[in-house]
Amino acid sequence: MATMDYVNVFAEDIEKLANFYMTVFGFEEIEEMRYPIFRAVKAGRINIGFNAMDAYDLLELAEHRDTSGIKFLLNFTCASKREVDHISQRAQDLGAVAIKQPYKTYYNWYQAVLLDPEGNCFRINRILK
């Protein structure tokens, strides 16, 4: 059976965006994966890769380079509602934009919806019992 080990994000500034996620969530860089157009961070069970825009050409995706709009959603799980609040605020302090401040959803999650400094959407969650 195949497994997922990375989610990759195209970024204008891979260094800055990787550092944003490392600072907000306390993730660590996977230094052996550092390349001129790529950074990776350990993010629990699945790692996050940050590809420079040059990767569009490398992957023969140049015709799909239009990066307007939200095309993915990263989800981060916290141990408590308080941690959701704390991390959400830290993200905003570091340049994230809150789309929805922490709230209880109809499906019984406590979550915040934000955009990172490059406009990528992510959620910070706590599944309530």
Side-chain angles (χ1 to χ4, degrees):
M1 175 176 77
T3 61
M4 181 182 288
D5 58 354
Y6 275 89
V7 171
N8 288 41
V9 177
F10 287 98
E12 293 291 337
D13 186 332
I14 59 174
E15 191 79 32
K16 182 177 178 182
L17 200 57
N19 286 336
F20 170 81
Y21 283 96
M22 287 188 292
T23 302
V24 168
F25 293 100
F27 298 150
E28 294 181 16
E29 182 177 0
I30 304 170
E31 293 185 21
E32 60 270 19
M33 297 296 297
R34 180 183 272 255
Y35 296 100
I37 65 168
F38 185 76
R39 297 290 184 276
V41 299
K42 294 178 186 177
R45 294 175 294 197
I46 297 175
N47 299 316
I48 306 172
F50 299 93
N51 295 85
M53 295 303 185
D54 292 346
Y56 276 103
D57 295 331
L58 181 70
L59 299 171
E60 297 184 14
L61 293 171
E63 67 185 81
H64 303 282
R65 192 176 173 133
D66 175 20
T67 58
S68 63
I70 294 173
K71 301 187 183 205
F72 66 88
L73 174 63
L74 297 175
N75 286 274
F76 301 94
T77 301
C78 295
S80 67
K81 289 172 61 176
R82 186 177 184 154
E83 187 177 26
V84 170
D85 293 337
H86 177 73
I87 292 175
S88 175
Q89 185 58 56
R90 181 168 50 210
Q92 291 173 71
D93 292 345
L94 292 167
V97 174
I99 300 302
K100 289 186 88 169
Q101 293 290 351
Y103 70 105
K104 182 179 175 184
T105 70
Y106 73 88
Y107 42 88
N108 208 32
W109 287 21
Y110 185 70
Q111 72 180 14
V113 181
L114 303 105
L115 299 178
D116 71 23
E118 290 199 10
N120 302 302
C121 189
F122 67 100
R123 291 190 304 190
I124 304 170
N125 305 298
R126 171 65 188 157
I127 299 172
L128 304 173
K129 296 182 181 183

